[in-house]
Amino acid sequence: MRVSRMKCLAVAVIAGLSISASNEQQLCEGFVPENDLSIPVGALNVSGVTEADFNKVLDIVQAYYGPHIASLGGRLSINRDWQSTTVNASAERSGSTYRINMYGGLARHPAITKDGFMLVACHEIGHHIGGYPKSGGWFNSWATNEGGADYYANLRCLRLLFTPEETAQFVESNEIDPVLKQTCEEQYQTQEDENICMRAGMAGLSGATLFQVLREEEQAPRFDTPDTNVVPRMDNSHPGTQCRLDTYYNGTICTVDQSEPVSDEDPNVGACTTDRGFNTGVRPRCWFKP
């Protein structure tokens, strides 16, 4: 379900003139900017994410977030389109239905790991319940913006969905970036928390590598080369590749209590901010304006 910016703008205008029966509100941007990539089932040189993995990840997301969204008065609907060749994902609202659209083409991209695919699902969930800051405008007023959805994916979602046993096995059997490993060991006090931090950070690296490839950039994103740009105002669109990795990384190393809910209005609630005395784990200034 790729929706161009012009088409999305037209939908918004039409909706403003006449409210549709479905009251469907779709974000104009997907997980990545609109692209013409097409990766069919059976394509060569694809990721190791199988159809079984695709469904297992989404089963986990549904099992946890279905009841959570129900408690908010909504209904989580996951559109699982393994056959789709689309290299993207998206979120939309239709009345009380919170929908995320997950496509097989993205899961098959060589840069995406199984955890990277879960990161994408968490990002789309983040658009629905990731809290402040919102995208702005009446049409997308329900949606957490792109950077906020990235932050929520690692601040909450992955940590809530990763099990300690599978995470310990992941850390033992995979090469962990040394900068990420050192920071996780410094930030957390237990081995379980350190492991989840490392696994979530590596999922973020998978997502950021996808952005690098799609944007045809030579410079690979790294944990030790943060984006030094400072935005003069809130950037609601897709941040740059390094900036997105910084956002995943900072969400991962934020040690705020996981039981504290995020807020739609207050950036300090449920997150790491300098106002709360945090020096690490804060939303990066390369997209966030306090």
Side-chain angles (χ1 to χ4, degrees):
M1 187 180 293
R2 273 181 281 184
V3 179
S4 69
R5 182 173 294 276
M6 289 303 294
K7 180 180 178 183
C8 214
L9 195 58
V11 169
V13 171
I14 291 169
L17 296 174
S18 175
I19 301 297
S20 68
S22 64
N23 195 29
E24 185 172 293
Q25 300 174 329
Q26 180 170 343
L27 283 176
C28 292
E29 295 183 287
F31 177 69
V32 295
E34 184 184 8
N35 63 81
D36 295 323
L37 284 182
S38 177
I39 306 180
V41 175
L44 300 176
N45 301 318
V46 298
S47 76
V49 179
T50 64
E51 184 175 7
D53 291 334
F54 177 89
N55 284 307
K56 181 179 179 181
V57 165
L58 298 180
D59 284 344
I60 293 170
V61 173
Q62 182 73 60
Y64 184 87
Y65 279 103
H68 179 71
I69 289 175
S71 73
L72 303 176
R75 182 181 72 87
L76 175 60
S77 172
I78 302 179
N79 173 27
R80 310 177 184 214
D81 195 346
W82 172 254
Q83 296 297 323
S84 173
T85 65
T86 298
V87 181
N88 220 326
S90 63
E92 61 189 75
R93 284 279 180 95
S94 181
S96 62
T97 298
Y98 296 41
R99 182 174 297 110
I100 64 173
N101 301 297
M102 306 298 298
Y103 304 119
L106 182 139
R108 289 187 287 275
H109 193 283
I112 288 293
T113 62
K114 182 179 176 181
D115 284 352
F117 181 66
M118 183 174 281
L119 171 85
V120 177
C122 281
H123 170 96
E124 301 307 333
I125 290 289
H127 277 308
H128 287 292
I129 60 172
Y132 185 89
K134 297 296 184 177
S135 291
W138 69 268
F139 189 68
N140 287 331
S141 61
W142 58 273
T144 296
N145 73 3
E146 294 295 337
D150 282 341
Y151 190 62
Y152 179 83
N154 287 57
L155 178 73
R156 287 288 186 279
C157 185
L158 289 178
R159 290 197 237 180
L160 294 170
L161 300 184
F162 285 159
T163 63
E165 296 78 12
E166 286 187 350
T167 300
Q169 184 178 11
F170 174 90
V171 171
E172 290 176 4
S173 58
N174 288 274
E175 183 177 353
I176 306 299
D177 181 276
V179 174
L180 173 66
K181 184 176 187 294
Q182 179 178 343
T183 307
C184 290
E185 290 173 345
E186 291 171 350
Q187 288 293 107
Y188 293 99
Q189 304 302 313
T190 69
Q191 189 64 58
E192 181 178 314
D193 287 338
E194 290 174 14
N195 288 345
I196 289 177
C197 173
M198 287 185 271
R199 186 181 175 188
M202 293 304 292
L205 185 60
S206 171
T209 301
L210 172 66
F211 313 141
Q212 178 203 354
V213 172
L214 291 180
R215 290 165 172 163
E216 299 181 344
E217 298 169 343
E218 293 185 6
Q219 183 65 45
R222 295 172 43 160
F223 290 108
D224 60 350
T225 58
D227 190 326
T228 57
N229 290 311
V230 177
V231 293
R233 63 185 63 87
M234 190 77 73
D235 183 359
N236 293 323
S237 62
H238 291 110
T241 299
Q242 180 63 52
C243 186
R244 291 193 84 169
L245 179 61
D246 297 344
T247 305
Y248 296 135
Y249 184 38
N250 286 10
T252 298
I253 62 176
C254 173
T255 56
V256 72
D257 192 329
Q258 291 293 294
S259 66
E260 184 179 339
V262 295
S263 167
D264 285 342
E265 292 84 26
D266 189 342
N268 295 299
V269 177
C272 289
T273 64
T274 54
D275 285 349
R276 297 182 65 176
F278 288 95
N279 296 316
T280 57
V282 301
R283 300 174 180 90
R285 292 295 306 275
C286 49
W287 68 267
F288 183 74
K289 174 67 175 178

